[in-house]
Amino acid sequence: MHEAYNQSRALAEITHDFQTTVTLSEIAVFGGQNDLATQLEINYNLAGVLTILTDWQKGNINASVTELTTSPAAIARHHWQ
């Protein structure tokens, strides 16, 4: 139970840090716009990335670190163009 709590807390902290960094980056790119659609897109995509990382850490995804970082980055580039 203690380990699950610590993992949950760590994931919450990582999520918060990513949200803050990506939100600030997106706002800078889009000229200071911080609208609901931007926030929802950031959260939606972040949830996907964190799910991938969590599944990989648990051994549910068999990939190298390079594969793990390259594939989601390619998906994000395609989606955000």
Side-chain angles (χ1 to χ4, degrees):
M1 181 112 163
H2 179 70
E3 183 179 333
Y5 171 77
N6 284 335
Q7 287 177 348
S8 194
R9 193 173 113 186
L11 187 58
E13 289 176 15
I14 291 169
T15 301
H16 181 297
D17 289 345
F18 271 118
Q19 283 175 324
T20 301
T21 302
V22 173
T23 299
L24 292 174
S25 174
E26 290 291 309
I27 290 170
V29 168
F30 293 109
Q33 295 179 9
N34 187 11
D35 61 3
L36 178 60
T38 301
Q39 286 296 313
L40 292 177
E41 183 174 358
I42 290 167
N43 290 345
Y44 178 83
N45 288 298
L46 178 59
V49 169
L50 291 173
T51 297
I52 290 168
L53 292 175
T54 301
D55 282 351
W56 178 72
Q57 189 271 333
K58 290 178 179 178
N60 297 333
I61 296 175
N62 184 19
S64 69
V65 172
T66 302
E67 291 171 319
L68 193 70
T69 56
T70 304
S71 296
I75 293 167
R77 278 193 301 277
H78 174 73
H79 177 73
W80 286 330
Q81 284 183 348

